[in-house]
Amino acid sequence: MRRLLFTMPALLLAAPVAAADLDVTVQIPRLDVAEYHRPYLAAWIEREDHSVAAQLAVWYAQKESKEGAGTKWLPELRQWWRRGGRELQMPVDGVSGATRPVGEQKLAFEQGKAPLGQLAPGKYTLVVEAAREVGGREVVRVPFQWPAAAPQHLGAKGGSELGEVKLDLAP
Amino acid sequence: MPKLSSKWTVLALALALPLAAQAHKMWMVPSATNVSGADPWVTVDAAVSNDLFFPDHVPGDLSRLVITAPDGSTVAPENAATGKYRSVFDVHLQQQGTYRIALVNQGVFAGYELGGEKKRWRGEAAELDKAIPAGAQHVQVSEASNRVETFVTNGKPSDGALKPGGKGLELVPVTHVTDLVAGEGATFQLLLDGKPAPDLKVTAIAGGTRYRNAQEEIEATTGKDGRFTLTWPHAGMYWVNASTQDGKTSVKQARQRRLSYTAVLEVLPQ
């Protein structure tokens, strides 16, 4: 018992040294429309000057064609395209992937590991942008401080193309 | 000699009048200004019209078309056609970066009377002497230099195609020409024969004039360094124009040079 009591503070001290987690949950809403296509979606972390600190995810149609299929429409994710999407060569390992269906989509990231990398302490914004063929476009922003001193559950809600966007931070 | 100068005064007035009355706008509108993918193309409309951007007067003259690729080389348009009101062509964007699509007009205009009949001629300065027949009366010569441009970027913007040529009125981007967003200021520089053009009025009008009751012009004036800043009130395709005149003619018969620069720029929502 005594040994355990001594061990516990040591574990607590060790925790901040362990890799911090950043989990993102994006809700893709069910839409009652005649022609539905899954949205293109980009998620990234912006610094205060709007520069990109990390590209987290890009979902676009993967079907091949002479025109490069989905990549042709990537500029429709306008903010993302301008902020750094156009600098990337698709596909990006661990970042780009196929479009996803209606529902909660969970993404987990870890400090020090791609694609999050080593995020320096500071103020950031998680940005999630969705654009849908023959549909709308929406950007949801969640500001946060990194690293979190204690577990934090942040979020923001979209109004049309995005449902709830949750950001869970673990120190 | 006094007689001659009064004649030239009349000529100057005659030349100034069409400028003041100039209502038609020359433009080119690309189907997209930011493209991506493995094999991107855009289609471009070119016309002269009153309403922006509805062809209703004459088509753009594609013999004046110069397309500059990101590496500075000139590329040919594809599938070009000229209709009654509008010219159309495609641009195959085989390089990464920004393309400049320009209608460049640099020429001499002459009007004269022959046997009581009014004639007009347009051509190169070198051909002027041959073009005016002996016996022509009331010869009026003017020089004009105008440029209509639009821009398309494949992938990441670049400025290899945007280098000024040092002739006439030209635009040099400070804010990139395909990176414009509603509510944000955009700064550009106007050059006249390669030098900053100060105190020029710049007018910007958003497309869709048919669907509103006013032109809703936004205006700016170039500073000493030729720079001006426009803040776009909303997203859309904008017609941006500046014009001026001076006496720096390349033909001795012309007293006046009229210059105009137009850019059609796309502004995207935030």
Side-chain angles (χ1 to χ4, degrees):
Chain A
M1 189 62 193
R2 182 176 287 173
R3 190 171 284 169
L4 189 65
L5 279 172
F6 275 112
T7 327
M8 273 182 64
L11 272 175
L12 283 173
L13 282 173
V17 179
D21 288 330
L22 185 153
D23 293 344
V24 177
T25 309
V26 178
Q27 192 194 359
I28 296 177
R30 182 173 300 282
L31 299 170
D32 188 15
V33 290
E35 183 182 342
Y36 181 80
H37 301 274
R38 289 178 182 180
Y40 275 33
L41 184 141
W44 71 100
I45 292 171
E46 258 182 27
R47 297 185 190 93
E48 282 187 293
D49 64 356
H50 298 300
S51 65
V52 176
Q55 294 279 5
L56 300 182
V58 188
W59 305 337
Y60 61 94
Q62 303 287 313
K63 200 179 146 211
E64 263 319 309
S65 81
K66 193 177 170 271
E67 286 189 311
T71 57
K72 180 179 174 179
W73 306 108
L74 283 173
E76 300 283 312
L77 294 165
R78 291 191 196 116
Q79 282 268 335
W80 172 77
W81 186 250
R82 184 170 181 239
R83 299 286 186 222
R86 63 192 180 194
E87 318 270 336
L88 302 175
Q89 190 64 49
M90 291 295 143
V92 178
D93 198 28
V95 174
S96 63
T99 54
R100 298 203 184 181
V102 168
E104 281 203 335
Q105 302 294 337
K106 288 183 200 289
L107 300 164
F109 305 97
E110 201 179 303
Q111 173 82 320
K113 278 192 181 172
L116 186 61
Q118 201 65 42
L119 204 58
K123 278 184 179 171
Y124 295 96
T125 302
L126 165 74
V127 191
V128 178
E129 179 174 22
R132 189 166 48 87
E133 185 180 349
V134 299
R137 169 181 163 267
E138 186 165 34
V139 180
V140 169
R141 308 173 72 89
V142 185
F144 68 96
Q145 184 85 38
W146 184 261
Q152 271 196 299
H153 304 286
L154 307 167
K157 214 168 154 27
S160 53
E161 298 296 328
L162 286 165
E164 215 166 2
V165 173
K166 287 188 234 170
L167 175 64
D168 296 306
L169 306 176
Chain B
M1 203 58 196
K3 248 181 197 169
L4 185 70
S5 55
S6 74
K7 188 176 144 198
W8 279 113
T9 311
V10 172
L11 168 60
L13 272 173
L15 289 174
L17 269 174
L19 186 69
Q22 190 180 52
H24 288 107
K25 301 174 182 73
M26 200 184 288
W27 48 263
M28 276 188 290
V29 172
S31 53
T33 58
N34 281 281
V35 298
S36 126
D39 190 34
W41 289 72
V42 291
T43 174
V44 184
D45 289 346
V48 181
S49 73
N50 269 331
D51 264 338
L52 295 172
F53 292 95
F54 303 97
D56 63 9
H57 184 49
V58 289
D61 178 1
L62 297 189
S63 70
R64 306 277 166 178
L65 180 64
V66 182
I67 304 169
T68 310
D71 67 359
S73 66
T74 302
V75 297
E78 302 209 34
N79 306 319
T82 294
K84 172 73 178 163
Y85 287 146
R86 172 181 64 157
S87 289
V88 180
F89 57 92
D90 292 341
V91 183
H92 191 186
L93 301 107
Q94 290 174 296
Q95 294 177 25
Q96 290 279 318
T98 302
Y99 283 70
R100 179 175 66 190
I101 302 165
L103 289 174
V104 185
N105 250 308
Q106 214 131 24
V108 175
F109 294 78
Y112 57 89
E113 277 182 41
L114 190 64
E117 211 180 321
K118 281 189 176 172
K119 304 263 190 193
R120 291 172 78 180
W121 176 83
R122 186 185 85 173
E124 304 297 322
E127 304 160 2
L128 179 66
D129 287 338
K130 281 185 209 157
I132 311 291
Q137 287 183 308
H138 308 296
V139 180
Q140 299 184 344
V141 181
S142 72
E143 204 173 321
S145 159
N146 62 68
R147 231 170 210 287
V148 177
E149 297 182 338
T150 193
F151 308 89
V152 179
T153 297
N154 177 18
K156 199 176 153 183
S158 66
D159 55 13
L162 310 180
K163 293 193 180 95
K167 254 175 120 181
L169 259 187
E170 292 175 288
L171 183 104
V172 177
V174 178
T175 307
H176 200 275
V177 279
T178 60
D179 210 2
L180 309 173
V181 177
E184 286 185 13
T187 302
F188 309 107
Q189 185 188 35
L190 277 174
L191 300 181
L192 178 55
D193 294 334
K195 294 190 191 89
D199 303 319
L200 283 191
K201 195 179 95 175
V202 181
T203 306
I205 305 173
T209 50
R210 183 188 284 172
Y211 306 123
R212 57 181 194 260
N213 295 325
Q215 295 287 314
E216 294 176 6
E217 291 143 333
I218 52 172
E219 285 175 357
T221 305
T222 58
K224 274 187 184 148
D225 53 2
R227 288 190 181 197
F228 65 97
T229 299
L230 293 168
T231 302
W232 319 101
H234 52 81
M237 210 49 110
Y238 283 77
W239 185 84
V240 180
N241 173 265
S243 57
T244 187
Q245 53 198 52
D246 63 18
K248 291 178 186 166
T249 57
S250 57
V251 274
K252 60 178 190 302
Q253 295 94 325
R255 274 282 168 96
Q256 193 187 42
R257 180 173 69 151
R258 289 180 284 143
L259 305 116
S260 142
Y261 177 86
T262 302
V264 175
L265 304 173
E266 186 174 41
V267 176
L268 292 172
Q270 274 285 353

